[in-house]
Amino acid sequence: AIYQLLQNRYGLVPAETTFIDDLLPNIEAARRQGWHGIHFKHAQQVTQELQDWESYPMRFDPERFF
């Protein structure tokens, strides 16, 4: 699957990897790999979910992404 390919190619650590997508099946597939998945509905919702995620490994700066 593409998730495993990305994980191997870029040395992603599943517990430290966040996948954001608007299609729920893609989120579910990423979660099966151990990734944190966020189902995109709108930018404010994603920003809030990232800020609420206590184990997020870095400080989230929404200005970098939106």
Side-chain angles (χ1 to χ4, degrees):
I2 187 70
Y3 307 97
Q4 190 64 45
L5 174 72
L6 292 170
Q7 192 169 299
N8 293 338
R9 181 174 292 170
Y10 298 105
L12 302 176
V13 177
E16 297 175 0
T17 302
T18 301
F19 183 76
I20 302 167
D21 199 281
D22 63 337
L23 298 175
L24 192 53
N26 294 343
I27 296 299
E28 292 167 349
R31 288 176 179 162
R32 284 193 295 275
Q33 294 293 318
W35 298 13
H36 178 71
I38 296 177
H39 185 205
F40 181 91
K41 297 173 189 93
H42 53 80
Q44 184 178 7
Q45 164 256 335
V46 169
T47 300
Q48 188 62 53
E49 285 194 43
L50 285 170
Q51 291 172 337
D52 290 346
W53 185 30
E54 292 179 12
S55 62
Y56 195 66
M58 60 179 260
R59 183 180 177 287
F60 176 67
D61 180 4
E63 296 301 318
R64 286 186 55 206
F65 298 95
F66 303 109

